Amino acid sequence: MVKSYKFGILFCKEGQTREEEMFSNVHGDEAFESFLTFLGEKIVLKGWEGYRGGLDARNDSTGTHSIYTQYSDFEIMFHISTFLPFAVDDP
């Protein structure tokens, strides 16, 4: 039985309709930040020894932080769009 899961969380501003627009958001609004707090604990990825869900815990190539939680016997790592590295010239 799988005991670990990863879920992607994408922040979409009003009026955004294209994926490229949404992934270019480097910050969420107050409601989004509150939602992330509800989901779990903000953790530092570098050196993280728990379930990573494919995120880089050595070189920050997938960002410096993420949201992690445990529920019952399950581990959940959230991939947060506003925490992921973004470069304007990389669609």
Side-chain angles (χ1 to χ4, degrees), residues 16-35:
Q16 290 182 330
T17 57
R18 296 188 350 258
E19 186 177 290
E20 295 82 11
E21 294 172 316
M22 296 172 208
F23 276 109
S24 71
N25 295 325
V26 294
H27 300 287
D29 60 16
E30 189 175 318
F32 184 72
E33 297 301 323
S34 178
F35 176 66

Side-chain angles (χ1 to χ4, degrees), residues 45-60:
L45 285 170
K46 189 172 273 187
W48 178 257
E49 295 184 9
Y51 174 65
R52 297 183 329 269
L55 296 173
D56 177 14
R58 293 186 189 158
N59 302 309
D60 293 338

Side-chain angles (χ1 to χ4, degrees), residues 39-88:
L39 289 178
E41 173 187 1
K42 186 174 185 178
I43 56 104
V44 175
L45 285 170
K46 189 172 273 187
W48 178 257
E49 295 184 9
Y51 174 65
R52 297 183 329 269
L55 296 173
D56 177 14
R58 293 186 189 158
N59 302 309
D60 293 338
S61 68
T62 55
T64 59
H65 293 81
S66 194
I67 301 293
Y68 171 85
T69 194
Q70 288 184 303
Y71 177 77
S72 193
D73 291 335
F74 301 95
E75 290 184 274
I76 303 169
M77 181 63 78
F78 294 94
H79 293 215
I80 312 300
S81 64
T82 56
F83 292 0
L84 298 172
F86 171 74
V88 175

